[in-house]
Amino acid sequence: MNSKNFVLHNEYEEYPVEEMRERARSFYEHMSRRRTVREFSERLVPQEVIEDCLMTAGTAPNGANMQPWHFAVISDPEVKNEIREAAEEEEREFYENRATDEWLEALAPLGTDANKPFLEEAPYLIAIFSQSYGIDEEGNKQKHYYVKESVGIATGMLIAAVHNAGLASLTHTPSPMGFLNEILDRPSNERPFLLLVVGYPKENVKVPDISKKPLKDIASFI
Ligand code: IYR
């Protein structure tokens, strides 16, 4: 391999196998306590916590290291209100017209509807944008690769980081989400990927009684 511009990976840490087992198990146990909540407390969260979680997201592996993402963090109540109004308009259209009966049936156990008070109650909304292409310093288009995969991985890491900090999140996908470009003044090379709602869960929040598939149903070992 051509080792030009390569540096030693000094930060790699290997663990003794017993510790490896423990770490893998305890990370699973920690992550399995994550639940999506749809009701948030209005309690404030320090912005540095959100910044650190976003830095975690920014470490995600991605196509040709183009890092084709932008995270717009919203805490301004007026902007949250605008987003809520626009999202609820789309959601009403979705629940009343666009969604198929099959889709509504699949959503029934989650108890969702077109009302989205969490968009104003939670201290932070993070609008995640994927950049279909980049624009370099000279204003030339820069090709991006595996954009959805890259932004999906970064978003997963963000969700894990938020959970690790002891906060709850909700992956919200009003569809279509073009209104986010307008409200947040994002350029046309950026598409809204999803809206992550972040904060403390409301006290005594309830979550749907659902479970995850067991390992044998999600993996095969050949
Ligand atoms: N975007 C709608 C509907 C919705 C769709 C799926 I797929 C979900 O897992 C949950 C909700 C809404 O946010 O209500």
Side-chain angles (χ1 to χ4, degrees), residues 38 91 94-95 103 107 110 112-113 116 172-174:
R38 289 189 165 75
E91 293 293 341
F94 171 81
Y95 283 96
W103 195 343
L107 289 179
L110 306 181
T112 57
D113 60 30
K116 305 297 177 192
H172 180 43
T173 51

Side-chain angles (χ1 to χ4, degrees), residues 3 66 68 110 115 131 203:
S3 61
M66 295 295 172
L110 306 181
N115 273 337
Q131 299 174 330
E203 239 178 277

Side-chain angles (χ1 to χ4, degrees), residues 44-128:
L44 297 179
V45 167
Q47 185 171 305
E48 299 87 79
V49 171
I50 303 300
E51 290 173 4
D52 280 336
C53 293
L54 290 170
M55 288 202 287
T56 297
T59 68
N62 67 91
N65 200 34
M66 295 295 172
Q67 305 167 63
W69 42 61
H70 178 83
F71 302 92
V73 181
I74 303 108
S75 56
D76 182 325
E78 277 177 32
V79 181
K80 285 197 266 184
N81 173 262
E82 267 188 82
I83 291 177
R84 177 181 179 179
E85 299 285 319
E88 287 183 339
E89 198 177 316
E90 294 296 358
E91 293 293 341
R92 278 193 294 275
E93 184 59 26
F94 171 81
Y95 283 96
E96 284 161 25
N97 301 312
R98 277 201 296 265
T100 58
D101 287 345
E102 191 183 13
W103 195 343
L104 291 177
E105 227 168 273
L107 289 179
L110 306 181
T112 57
D113 60 30
N115 273 337
K116 305 297 177 192
F118 52 75
L119 292 175
E120 291 191 273
E121 288 164 357
Y124 288 104
L125 309 178
I126 306 178
I128 304 171

